Amino acid sequence: MFVTTVLTASTETVVEGAEHAAEHGAAAGGVFPPFDPSSFASQLLWLAITFGIFYYVVSKVIIPRLSGILGTRRDRISRDLDEAQRMKEESDAALAAYEQELAEARRSAGQIAQEARDKAKAEADARRGEAEGRLNEKLAVSEKEIAAIKAKALSEVDGIATDTATEIVRQLVGGTATRADVAKAVAAAAKQ
Amino acid sequence: MSNDPIHQFHLQKLIPLEIGGVDISFTNSSLFMAATVAATAGFMIWATSGRGLIPSRAQSVAEIAYEFSSNMLRDAAGSQGMRFFPLVFSLFLFILIGNLWGMFPYFFTVTSHIIVTAALALLVFATVLIAGLSQHGLGFFKLFVPSGVPGWLLPLVVAIEVISFLTRPISHSVRLFANMLAGHITLKVFAGFVVSLSALGVVGVAGSVLPLVMTIALTALEFLVAFLQAYVFAMLTCMYINDAIHPGGH
């Protein structure tokens, strides 16, 4: 479709060529303008000038600026990422240290508690031992006293028995028996 | 005049100049070349003047254009090709803005003249040839000898490769020129229908809706084409530059 359009358009131009030539006073005549060689020199020259200037400006100003901007941003982003990485490592290290300290504290707390328990137990044992010793002492003293009292009481039993026997003999027999004889008899009886 | 779709391509001498019998007048074409350069360079310089770490809108546009073009070149020609980046970037911006200037009514489309696109295509061709020869010497001609082709087929393949290499500037320039020319003519023809039909009374006015819709649709299409052709021209430039850098690489 484009081709036919162009073709009809160019024939139209040819038809209207004279009119245009008069209108523009151009050397174009009836030639299709893009194929008019008389304009080539001017277009090439001005293209060279304008594109040359543009190329110069692009390569000397625009590209360095843009690459600078993008480079700065890239550097900044990578630096920020590094910084974030470093901070993360720091926080990880801090966390690890904290956990290690916590574990140590827990261990030492256990140790302290164990020591306290041991010490308290030792003290309690010592105190109990002491108390037992004291009680044993008292027991021993009491036993000795009891033994002494018992011995004394036993030693007095003979005298009482002699006295009682003497009195019994006197009451029953009416006579008197010498105390020595009675004592002898009591001793003999006690022996049996 | 108003209905002549070719009228828009006429050159008008704004400042007639002549040196040694050669006409070098400052024409409307020259004016729009200058306008393209001034607008593009002016915008890019203004947009990047803040050098913001966080870009403004204008700076974003400049950065996007830069990254778009540099990625295009890096993908096609590798990091070695980046020394041709000023050329690719200038070509892309110049053609893009030149095409877009042409979208304004009554404005001249610089790229609708074959001599302009041919000059740009030949600039690329010459750059490729000179860079290729200076970098690889005769090794540059390995470009025409694809690897893995059986010997008896080689003369034919080399001939085809040489012809395709030599016709590059033609296809490169005609593609851009023809697209801009045909698009603008089509636009003008359909817009002309609107005017002609409207002159035919009520029925004509009703009938002119169709070409009006076409004109609107074509305007949108032409904006796409304006960008696309600049992209295609720059892309092909990148691929040709790749040939200059890696002649044996295909």
Side-chain angles (χ1 to χ4, degrees):
Chain A
M1 190 181 93
F2 286 169
V3 176
T4 51
T5 322
V6 175
L7 284 177
T8 43
S10 34
T11 46
E12 258 174 56
T13 325
V14 172
V15 173
E16 295 171 15
E19 192 186 314
H20 280 296
E23 205 175 301
H24 306 299
V31 186
F32 184 50
F35 296 143
D36 176 10
S38 70
S39 71
F40 285 1
S42 145
Q43 294 211 65
L44 283 176
L45 175 71
W46 288 104
L47 178 67
I49 293 171
T50 51
F51 191 74
I53 292 170
F54 187 56
Y55 181 85
Y56 182 81
V57 172
V58 164
S59 59
K60 294 291 169 203
V61 182
I62 294 170
I63 288 178
R65 263 198 200 183
L66 277 166
S67 65
I69 288 168
L70 294 171
T72 310
R73 185 173 309 146
R74 208 166 25 243
D75 290 353
R76 175 70 186 270
I77 287 171
S78 68
R79 206 168 51 234
D80 284 1
L81 282 176
D82 289 351
E83 180 80 5
Q85 181 64 28
R86 197 180 58 72
M87 280 179 171
K88 189 180 171 293
E89 273 163 15
E90 257 174 34
S91 78
D92 284 352
L95 189 68
Y98 161 77
E99 269 174 2
Q100 199 187 335
E101 252 165 49
L102 193 67
E104 240 162 57
R106 226 175 248 147
R107 204 166 44 243
S108 73
Q111 207 175 322
I112 287 167
Q114 188 61 42
E115 269 170 19
R117 243 192 327 270
D118 289 353
K119 196 176 158 198
K121 199 173 162 221
E123 242 168 53
D125 283 352
R127 223 174 273 159
R128 198 176 62 209
E130 202 179 305
E132 273 175 0
R134 253 200 323 272
L135 285 176
N136 284 343
E137 235 165 70
K138 266 185 191 164
L139 204 62
V141 170
S142 305
E143 271 173 1
K144 222 178 274 171
E145 265 171 23
I146 289 167
I149 290 166
K150 201 174 157 189
K152 197 181 163 199
L154 281 176
S155 69
E156 275 170 8
V157 165
D158 285 353
I160 292 166
T162 311
D163 286 350
T164 311
T166 312
E167 197 54 28
I168 291 168
V169 168
R170 196 177 53 82
Q171 294 269 333
L172 292 180
V173 183
T176 50
T178 57
R179 198 172 155 82
D181 289 340
V182 174
K184 216 183 274 173
V186 167
K191 254 179 213 166
Q192 282 174 3
Chain B
M1 161 184 164
S2 63
N3 249 344
D4 173 14
I6 302 303
H7 178 259
Q8 58 184 322
F9 304 114
H10 275 295
L11 291 170
Q12 280 136 28
K13 293 177 189 172
L14 302 177
I15 304 168
L17 289 173
E18 201 175 305
I19 291 175
V22 182
D23 178 24
I24 51 157
S25 306
F26 187 84
T27 61
N28 50 348
S29 169
S30 321
L31 176 68
F32 278 95
M33 287 174 191
T36 300
V37 167
T40 316
F43 173 79
M44 295 301 272
I45 290 171
W46 168 73
T48 55
S49 60
R51 291 187 175 80
L53 192 63
I54 297 155
S56 61
R57 283 183 198 193
Q59 195 184 317
S60 282
V61 171
E63 285 175 12
I64 288 166
Y66 177 92
E67 294 201 310
F68 180 75
S69 319
S70 68
N71 287 342
M72 181 160 60
L73 181 57
R74 197 174 288 113
D75 290 348
S79 52
Q80 275 181 297
M82 290 314 282
R83 65 200 160 100
F84 296 103
F85 182 59
L87 178 68
V88 173
F89 197 40
S90 317
L91 280 173
F92 176 65
L93 289 178
F94 185 82
I95 294 168
L96 176 66
I97 305 303
N99 290 350
L100 289 175
W101 268 127
M103 289 310 293
F104 286 95
Y106 297 106
F107 279 20
F108 185 83
T109 314
V110 178
T111 45
S112 68
H113 274 245
I114 182 84
I115 187 69
V116 174
T117 60
L120 295 176
L122 283 169
L123 174 67
V124 173
F125 186 76
T127 306
V128 167
L129 210 57
I130 293 167
L133 285 173
S134 70
Q135 195 178 331
H136 300 283
L138 291 177
F140 176 63
F141 293 109
K142 271 191 292 189
L143 179 62
F144 304 126
V145 189
S147 53
V149 175
W152 58 273
L153 206 58
L154 211 53
L156 184 64
V157 171
V158 168
I160 290 170
E161 288 283 339
V162 169
I163 292 166
S164 88
F165 182 79
L166 292 177
T167 52
R168 268 176 186 180
I170 299 171
S171 62
H172 201 186
S173 59
V174 168
R175 183 178 295 108
L176 173 60
F177 153 72
N179 266 285
M180 300 319 293
L181 182 84
H184 281 74
I185 289 173
T186 320
L187 251 184
K188 189 69 184 268
V189 166
F190 276 101
F193 282 162
V194 179
V195 178
S196 321
L197 281 173
S198 310
L200 298 177
V202 181
V203 182
V205 171
S208 70
V209 171
L210 203 64
L212 179 64
V213 170
M214 270 307 275
T215 309
I216 294 167
L218 279 172
T219 307
L221 179 71
E222 278 308 294
F223 273 106
L224 177 70
V225 168
F227 168 76
L228 211 61
Q229 287 306 317
Y231 171 65
V232 167
F233 196 96
M235 190 68 209
L236 285 170
T237 303
C238 295
M239 289 165 69
Y240 297 162
I241 286 171
N242 183 42
D243 285 343
I245 297 166
H246 312 109
H250 80 138

